[in-house]
Amino acid sequence: MRGSASVFLLAAALVTPNASAEPLQTSEDIVEFFANAADLGVSRGICVGTEDECNNGNDAPAQTGLDMLINFDLDSADLTSNAQTTLDEFAKALKDNRLQAHSFIVEGHTDASGADSYNDELSQKRARSVTAYLLSAGVEISRLKPVGMGETHPRADDPYDPVNRRVEMKINLQ
């Protein structure tokens, strides 16, 4: 097995109440992002969101991967309608021939609200919720592996920040 070459697909962020039901990124945008890379193992970054969301933490290194902006409410593994719209586009991209050879790890995350054991289970439920939705959209089960990370890898410095309630998807390149 080659080194752990993977491209992170960060799935998280707060969606404003006035957010459009239209996907921020189309399936073709997603496919082109990865298909145009000469080597999918090379880090490429793109942020989908407002300028403030993309520039959050000016001193932070640039994100690698594609931010799909999948969010969860407190104490919930239910997908919002915006998340479902975004995942519909992601599922279309995964079914494209140019990305058919890749499998994904679906990592669920929580903020620090609640006990560690509870957050571990909630993060697993979030990963399974995204996985189930992608399966219902026609993505093959063999390409998805849901795992719960609990609160161990917060995205924001504040462990209680809602942005930490997310799912991240990694494309495994083997």
Side-chain angles (χ1 to χ4, degrees), residues 67-127:
D67 193 336
M68 298 299 294
L69 299 176
I70 305 298
N71 69 305
F72 292 89
D73 292 329
L74 181 64
D75 194 31
S76 176
D78 296 333
L79 294 171
T80 65
S81 60
N82 287 339
Q84 291 174 1
T85 300
T86 301
L87 287 172
D88 287 340
E89 292 299 312
F90 190 64
K92 286 180 198 174
L94 295 184
K95 292 186 281 184
D96 188 285
N97 287 335
R98 295 170 284 178
L99 299 181
Q100 280 289 331
H102 302 291
S103 62
F104 299 81
I105 297 172
V106 182
E107 290 183 348
H109 297 269
T110 68
D111 64 15
S113 302
D116 289 347
S117 60
Y118 180 80
N119 286 339
D120 289 343
E121 179 59 30
L122 180 58
S123 67
Q124 182 67 33
K125 287 179 183 177
R126 288 176 174 167

Side-chain angles (χ1 to χ4, degrees), residues 6-13 24-35 40 42-49 54 62-70 86-87 89-91 93-94 99 104 155 166-171:
S6 65
V7 177
F8 291 95
L9 293 178
L10 301 178
L24 295 173
Q25 188 114 27
T26 67
S27 61
E28 186 58 27
D29 294 334
I30 295 164
V31 170
E32 285 180 11
F33 173 78
F34 294 110
L40 287 177
V42 173
S43 295
R44 293 174 40 112
I46 185 171
C47 181
V48 180
C54 293
Q63 294 180 8
T64 59
L66 185 65
D67 193 336
M68 298 299 294
L69 299 176
I70 305 298
T86 301
L87 287 172
E89 292 299 312
F90 190 64
L94 295 184
L99 299 181
F104 299 81
R155 182 173 182 194
R166 70 198 190 280
V167 165
E168 294 183 5
M169 292 175 250
K170 293 180 183 178
I171 297 179

